[in-house]
Amino acid sequence: MIEKTRKVDYLIYYLMEGCKILREHGFAEEANSVCGEARRAVAKFEKALEESCGIQEPLLEVESRRTSG
């Protein structure tokens, strides 16, 4: 499970970096679209985890605390 979580962390990181690069090169609208789709996909993933594993805390909140604290 830890290895799968690590893969999800990497996926989210690379999506964020890709959006950053898009914005830096003048593609803010496209970056916003990609980020929006990614957020919806992560929300679906979190819901599936909650239903199958009983995980109560959303992954994005855990990740934001990890990077800010």
Side-chain angles (χ1 to χ4, degrees):
M1 180 70 164
I2 291 173
E3 183 62 31
K4 289 181 182 181
T5 302
R6 192 171 295 137
K7 288 178 183 179
V8 171
D9 285 344
Y10 285 132
L11 174 63
I12 292 170
Y13 170 79
Y14 286 118
L15 280 167
M16 290 170 43
E17 287 299 304
C19 288
K20 179 180 169 184
I21 291 168
L22 284 171
R23 285 188 181 95
E24 288 172 353
H25 288 89
F27 296 96
E29 188 174 318
E30 290 83 351
N32 291 340
S33 177
V34 169
C35 288
E37 289 295 322
R39 283 187 187 106
R40 286 186 284 281
V42 169
K44 287 180 184 179
F45 177 71
E46 288 177 343
K47 184 176 180 181
L49 277 177
E50 288 172 4
E51 291 171 357
S52 65
C53 302
I55 294 174
Q56 301 298 314
E57 188 173 21
L59 294 176
L60 290 179
E61 289 181 16
V62 171
E63 181 61 28
S64 68
R65 279 199 304 275
R66 221 183 282 161
T67 57
S68 67

